[in-house]
Amino acid sequence: MMAKLMLQLTLLALTNFSTLAKAHEPSPLQDFCVADFKSRVRVNGFACLDPKQVTADHFLFRGLHVRGNTSNPLGSFINRPTVAEIPGLNTLGISTVRADYASRGVVPPHRHPRASEILTVLEGTVLAGFVTSDPGNRLVSKVLQKGDVFVFPFGLIHFQENIGPGKAVTMAFLSSQNPGVIAIANAIFGSNPPINDHVLAKAFQVDKSVVNKLQAPYN
Ligand SMILES: *[C@@H]1O[C@H](CO)[C@@H](O)[C@H](O)[C@H]1NC(C)=O
């Protein structure tokens, strides 16, 4: 009886594990697979460069200490080296991002279609939050100080704001070599070609004139 239960639990655990393993980037089957951008082979990710041609530079990116220019409407700057900048990230399922914020600067609501994110504050005071899908639309947020770490779960909409009087800096790590970014406002109001304004008027329960105003910055 007990043995049968244990077997069932083990099978259940194994089933869950294999599902999880398939849901994200697969485990590497060799030490590394440095991206060969010149290869004509199309695979999920990039083909591997001949390991004999691989050098330390394939694993290197310099410049994340440099402050970004936050003189823009959002008051923020993002520097995110992914596999395109660090070919050695290919197949490894990780990447990194630095964000700079002016006071009240915002990284607007966005999602990464292929990654979870873990963020730490190096400087300043940052409000960070994400919205859940189940239960629907619950805001989970926290004010973070230097050294605090916050997690944005896989694919969920999240944002950051520097709520302090001075500059802020965050570093984050993402569980994909190519996490992707969908900025919500840009995707909804700035798509090319635009989403029909009657669709957006109904979705947001506002007049078309309001929709047109929201679309204007992207025209
Ligand atoms: C920062 O960006 C603004 C707007 O594009 C530009 O006018 C300014 O010269 C930039 N500052 C630096 C230090 O590059």
Side-chain angles (χ1 to χ4, degrees):
M1 184 71 186
M2 194 63 189
K4 195 174 165 200
L5 183 68
M6 286 304 287
L7 181 65
Q8 275 170 353
L9 283 175
T10 310
L11 281 175
L12 188 69
L14 281 174
T15 316
N16 280 343
F17 179 75
S18 62
T19 317
L20 272 179
K22 273 184 217 141
H24 301 110
E25 289 168 38
S27 306
L29 303 175
Q30 59 272 306
D31 279 354
F32 47 75
C33 169
V34 170
D36 180 358
F37 298 122
K38 292 198 184 117
S39 170
R40 288 178 160 185
V41 178
R42 291 283 168 263
V43 291
N44 186 21
F46 295 95
C48 308
L49 201 62
D50 179 347
K52 289 188 223 72
Q53 292 177 26
V54 168
T55 69
D57 285 339
H58 289 117
F59 302 93
L60 175 72
F61 177 88
R62 293 192 207 267
L64 274 199
H65 64 296
V66 177
R67 257 184 213 287
N69 185 344
T70 59
S71 301
N72 55 58
L74 292 174
S76 67
F77 185 91
I78 302 292
N79 192 355
R80 47 185 207 107
T82 64
V83 67
E85 291 76 25
I86 312 175
L89 284 180
N90 193 38
T91 74
L92 295 185
I94 51 167
S95 57
T96 185
V97 55
R98 170 183 171 134
D100 287 273
Y101 313 71
S103 181
R104 291 288 163 181
V106 163
V107 175
H110 66 284
R111 60 185 294 271
H112 304 290
R114 294 177 287 278
S116 302
E117 178 172 347
I118 183 164
L119 173 137
T120 182
V121 176
L122 299 185
E123 194 179 322
T125 304
V126 172
L127 170 68
F130 64 86
V131 178
T132 64
S133 77
D134 183 17
N137 305 323
R138 179 180 164 215
L139 173 65
V140 179
S141 73
K142 204 77 186 168
V143 172
L144 309 174
Q145 309 292 348
K146 184 174 175 173
D148 292 351
V149 174
F150 199 65
V151 174
F152 302 126
F154 197 101
L156 297 186
I157 293 176
H158 57 280
F159 63 88
Q160 297 105 256
E161 181 189 14
N162 172 12
I163 58 171
K167 292 173 177 171
V169 181
T170 59
M171 281 291 302
F173 302 92
L174 297 112
S175 61
S176 171
Q177 66 182 36
N178 181 24
V181 182
I182 297 172
I184 306 306
N186 305 50
I188 300 293
F189 299 109
S191 71
N192 182 19
I195 299 175
N196 289 335
D197 55 3
H198 55 264
V199 171
L200 295 179
K202 207 162 255 183
F204 288 86
Q205 296 286 295
V206 294
D207 290 341
K208 280 188 187 176
S209 61
V210 177
V211 169
N212 295 339
K213 231 177 238 173
L214 288 164
Q215 289 174 321
Y218 303 100
N219 289 333

